[in-house]
Amino acid sequence: MNAPGKGGKGSTALVFDIERCAVKDGPGIRSVVFFKGCTLNCAWCHNPEGISFQPQLFFDADKCKYCGACFDACVNKAHLLHDKQHVLDRLRCAGCFACCDVCFSGALRRVGTRMGLNELMEVLLQDEEYYKTSGGGVTLSGGEVSCQSSFALELLKALKRRCIHTAIETNLCFSDAGFALLREADLIMADVKTVSAEKFAQYIGSGFGQVLENLKALEQCKTPLIIRTPVVPGVNDGEEEIRSIALLLKGLGSLEYYELLSYHPLGEKKGECIDIRRTHFTQPSHQAMLRLAGIAKETGIDVRVDGKRV
Ligand code: SF4
Ligand code: SF4
């Protein structure tokens, strides 16, 4: 795996989005930096454009206004009209992103831009006042942020120098370098998706043992910790599964709460736009989520469902 952005003076990170004024990724009003590239490949990922370590061409045909600008801009003639529909022939695409520069409608865009530390800080500091007044800050997300750990560490330190609260979102599938990040952050939000090695291999990828090992290591963690499970019907919505995960969390001294997150099919459409097929899952009902939360609560831990205490 070739992780970009090595850290240190003049280094860059590959970032695929910066969400400003976010309210779901930690306390208060936050900016969320999405690092591109992930150690896992969850079948239900709602940010599939964050999985690859390379910049990608995102094409949403539904937004096309048929102005024709991209047809002219592409020297490889990768944009075609087929049955009066705008079709992108990705086999002809050389990944130059010239078509993105001329598309005014947002139908075409480059996903993945290299940013330096100063450039990134400049964007993040625009909302410094909101962070301070709302008890918010900056969240480093992905993808898997630990894949660009050196750069991320420099970013956390720079934010800390400004007394800005920091949070890390992680899939827990990382080697030692990831722990340096966790030590530097003010809040850790980590996913535990299943306790089944078979399901992990089938729906998520490799690294099941490492995730469990890192979860165990968090028993020594002093940083406030939120553990989350995206609940995907047919995969990990069994009562035994949720009970087993909740029991694993009882040993985590700094656990603030356990959160169950309802699967949302947003990633399916995004997958089409970067030409990767995603599995279709149904959304869990609110009743089903509350039932699972009740089971988790029986273990004695604090539980939330989609951001709300139950
Ligand atoms: S990225 Fe470049 S080669 Fe690919 S479709 Fe756009 S203009 Fe053509
Ligand atoms: S430039 Fe954008 S809006 Fe115009 S034809 Fe191409 S995709 Fe459609």
Side-chain angles (χ1 to χ4, degrees), residues 20-21 27-31 124-137:
R20 293 171 63 183
C21 296
I29 296 175
R30 311 188 72 81
S31 290
L124 298 176
L125 290 177
Q126 289 177 37
D127 296 326
E128 192 172 15
E129 209 46 48
Y130 291 129
Y131 311 149
K132 298 270 159 74
T133 52
S134 70

Side-chain angles (χ1 to χ4, degrees), residues 4-22:
K6 292 290 180 208
K9 201 173 175 212
S11 67
T12 60
L14 191 62
V15 170
F16 71 92
D17 200 7
I18 300 172
E19 186 183 349
R20 293 171 63 183
C21 296

